[in-house]
Amino acid sequence: EVQLVESGGGLVPPGGSLRLSCAASGFTFSDYAMTWARQAPRRGLEWVSTIDSKDTEGVSASYADSVKGRFTVSRDNAKNTLYLQMNNLNPEDTAVYYCVRDTDYRYRNRWGQGTQVTVSS
């Protein structure tokens, strides 16, 4: 069974940083591209970033324009873990952040439970 467990969220002031993690199990993590997405109150689901299966440093990762230059995705295939380093956070980044296998993006029941990020002074 595919399991994805996000962690690392919290309350951070504007300009602050957080590092999210997504622990994966139940599948061969290194075979799958992975995606981060987020959902904010009163806003729809927003794709954040996708990293290819073997691109551990995120060199070729893609990002939403809203986070480009501030967020960095990476992965540790030996630890079956996906990361999202978020810098220079602003209140518009407040959302629940989810990780998902890129091939499962359309299936909400295959997503993790999410981790809440709140950016507020």
Side-chain angles (χ1 to χ4, degrees):
E1 179 188 1
V2 172
Q3 286 198 322
L4 299 165
V5 180
E6 301 91 341
S7 62
L11 174 63
V12 62
S17 298
L18 281 175
R19 189 194 196 202
L20 305 184
S21 298
C22 169
S25 61
F27 63 102
T28 304
F29 180 70
S30 59
D31 284 349
Y32 288 85
M34 297 294 296
T35 285
W36 284 101
R38 66 186 181 183
Q39 185 150 26
R42 301 177 299 279
R43 297 215 300 264
L45 191 66
E46 179 185 16
W47 168 78
V48 172
S49 179
T50 297
I51 184 170
D52 288 340
S53 60
K54 302 299 190 287
D55 183 19
T56 55
E57 300 300 322
V59 173
S60 300
S62 52
Y63 297 92
D65 287 344
S66 58
V67 307
K68 199 172 294 182
R70 301 186 297 120
F71 290 13
T72 303
V73 64
S74 61
R75 62 191 296 161
D76 186 334
N77 286 344
K79 295 182 178 179
N80 294 340
T81 303
L82 177 72
Y83 302 101
L84 186 68
Q85 177 67 44
M86 306 186 298
N87 298 329
N88 194 21
L89 286 160
N90 60 63
E92 288 69 42
D93 296 316
T94 295
V96 178
Y97 284 72
Y98 300 91
C99 65
V100 61
R101 297 192 305 186
D102 192 54
T103 50
D104 290 341
Y105 189 81
R106 75 178 79 176
Y107 304 111
R108 286 302 302 271
N109 62 337
R110 300 181 187 177
W111 293 36
Q113 86 290 345
T115 186
Q116 175 71 49
V117 171
T118 302
V119 184
S120 175
S121 54

